[in-house]
Amino acid sequence: MGAQIAGPAPLRNTALLGLGVHRPERVVTNAEICELIDSSDEWIQSRSGIKSRRFAKAHPEESVADMAVSAGAKALEAARLSGAQIDTVIVATSTYPMQTPQCAATVADRLGTGGAGALDISAGCAGFCYALGVASDLVRAGTAEHVLVVGVERMSDTTEPTDRSVRFIFGDGAGAVVVGPSDEVGIGPTVWGSDGAQGNAIRQEPDWVDFAQNPDQKRPWIIMEGTAVFRWAAFEMSKFARQIADKAGVAVTDLDAFVPHQANLRINDVIVKQLELPDTVAVADDIIETGNTSAASIPLAMEKMLRTGQVKEGDTALLLAFGAGLSYAGQVVKMPRLAQ
Ligand code: UT7
């Protein structure tokens, strides 16, 4: 008989302890975007709901890591924790410019965690809810005590300025939460999945090896088949939202808030209609002034709702993120405290 391995600690409840965001200062209007694409403010607003977005300062200022650290520091402040109390950092991003080392290790170092575990998660616009699910289960199982989860993107780096099928949609920013143990259930079970057969609908083209071997072609950019993604999102997501609510034992009509990924106001209108949400459920609409910030969109949308009084700390919200993969993830949560 070999040595006995100690069993896992008893499972515990988890909650969002604090939220912080970083919104770049530079506001980019539809008129500015239309200087380089054949489109109009009217077309962009009517098809997507977007009036403006923010772009980070020119590379390398206001980098992905800078924005992640800024949002992370505010989340720590809201959670009333120091960096040294964070033992795990998870960064959800698809726009960190280096594949090695991972962004999370830099963020863990710059926030003074003193050697926290650090990993990046790449799941496109669904990334934040994937990372939140992993973080909650790590704390629940006792593997981690306090996890900093960051969603951060510089989509202005990865969308071609003259491509009218993507340039007007995306924006830059970061949002972060601290996940920790709790007496009450503050984060419900995660539901997630993917449809890789439709993966081409949002893709990088060409890949980096292909580009290195054929440097005459265009550099890698994000390509999106908007209508295919629109159809998938508008007609599949309400089913997953119901699964998320069912797993949490909450009727969608009893929610205080619905925070869908901010990809297109029209997609979210369809999901809200299919879910038959009553007017008592506040619906996030941060896309109007922020655009689609991919993995940062859910925490940025939560922050807007808390800051403007649409919801308050402790309210029940259903988070639902979706995008590249095509993949989706979500959970029901109690809204966290916001950094002042
Ligand atoms: O975050 C990751 C997940 N992403 C999403 O969820 C995005 C999902 N997709 C969408 O949000 C929408 O598909 C878009 C907003 C990207 C596009 O809206 P759409 O209603 O699907 O437009 P469309 O691509 O079907 O194009 C309609 C028309 C076409 O012209 P014709 O063929 O009807 O004459 C396009 O050529 O609009 C034209 N068009 C534009 N016109 C002005 C396409 N892009 C533009 C543009 N400005 N930027």
Side-chain angles (χ1 to χ4, degrees):
M1 271 258 293
Q4 293 280 322
I5 299 174
L11 295 180
R12 39 191 196 166
N13 297 324
T14 62
L16 300 175
L17 306 182
L19 168 69
V21 301
H22 178 92
R23 293 180 187 271
E25 252 173 60
R26 189 160 106 71
V27 174
V28 178
T29 61
N30 288 342
E32 183 177 340
I33 293 288
C34 291
E35 286 169 15
L36 293 178
I37 63 170
D38 177 17
S39 188
S40 67
D41 176 43
E42 194 272 327
W43 190 94
I44 294 172
Q45 284 201 46
S46 65
R47 294 293 176 128
S48 70
I50 299 169
K51 289 186 178 169
S52 61
R53 75 287 295 140
R54 290 172 187 239
F55 280 178
K57 290 178 195 153
H59 189 76
E61 286 184 87
E62 213 169 23
S63 69
V64 168
D66 291 341
M67 292 194 287
V69 168
S70 164
K74 290 179 200 157
L76 287 176
E77 185 197 321
R80 296 171 189 151
L81 292 172
S82 70
Q85 288 169 286
I86 296 294
D87 56 35
T88 308
V89 175
I90 307 180
V91 174
T93 185
S94 306
T95 51
Y96 191 54
M98 294 192 294
Q99 282 175 307
T100 307
Q102 69 272 43
C103 183
T106 304
V107 173
D109 178 53
R110 286 174 59 182
L111 287 173
T113 63
L119 68 149
D120 291 358
I121 282 186
S122 168
C125 302
F128 179 81
C129 288
Y130 268 84
L132 183 55
V134 172
S136 180
D137 286 354
L138 287 174
V139 175
R140 188 166 161 70
T143 308
E145 194 64 20
H146 291 121
V147 183
L148 180 70
V149 177
V150 188
V152 56
E153 304 284 8
R154 272 182 65 114
M155 302 302 292
S156 57
D157 285 343
T158 59
T159 48
E160 187 179 9
T162 58
D163 181 350
R164 75 173 185 167
S165 64
V166 287
R167 189 59 170 179
F168 67 92
I169 297 177
F170 291 106
D172 301 341
V177 293
V178 176
V179 175
S182 162
D183 293 338
E184 307 289 321
V185 178
I187 304 173
T190 298
V191 172
W192 67 23
S194 68
D195 180 3
Q198 292 202 70
N200 263 352
I202 307 174
R203 64 186 187 274
Q204 173 196 300
E205 196 174 290
D207 69 40
W208 289 105
V209 174
D210 193 10
F211 177 60
Q213 288 168 350
N214 303 285
D216 295 342
Q217 64 185 331
K218 270 190 183 179
R219 57 152 273 191
W221 295 111
I222 285 179
I223 311 286
M224 186 170 73
E225 286 154 22
T227 313
V229 183
F230 189 106
R231 247 186 247 127
W232 171 77
F235 298 107
E236 297 289 320
M237 288 308 123
S238 58
K239 184 171 70 194
F240 302 133
R242 283 195 191 282
Q243 287 174 11
I244 293 163
D246 286 350
K247 271 204 164 183
V250 175
V252 290
T253 46
D254 289 341
L255 293 166
D256 297 307
F258 176 44
V259 190
H261 171 45
Q262 303 291 290
N264 186 320
L265 217 50
R266 286 161 53 222
I267 292 177
N268 294 345
D269 286 346
V270 174
I271 301 172
V272 165
K273 265 205 194 91
Q274 289 175 347
L275 288 173
E276 298 177 343
L277 293 184
D279 291 346
T280 49
V281 182
V283 180
D285 64 359
D286 190 37
I287 187 166
I288 297 170
E289 289 171 351
T290 306
N292 175 348
T293 53
S294 188
S297 110
I298 296 275
L300 283 166
M302 290 166 75
E303 184 264 352
K304 182 191 167 186
M305 295 186 95
L306 285 163
R307 175 168 41 84
T308 59
Q310 278 177 289
V311 296
K312 56 186 188 318
E313 183 186 337
D315 278 356
T316 305
L318 193 151
L319 314 181
L320 175 63
F322 50 85
L326 297 173
S327 61
Y328 64 89
Q331 46 279 109
V332 174
V333 302
K334 295 282 181 190
M335 289 295 265
R337 192 161 44 231
L338 186 62
Q340 289 314 301

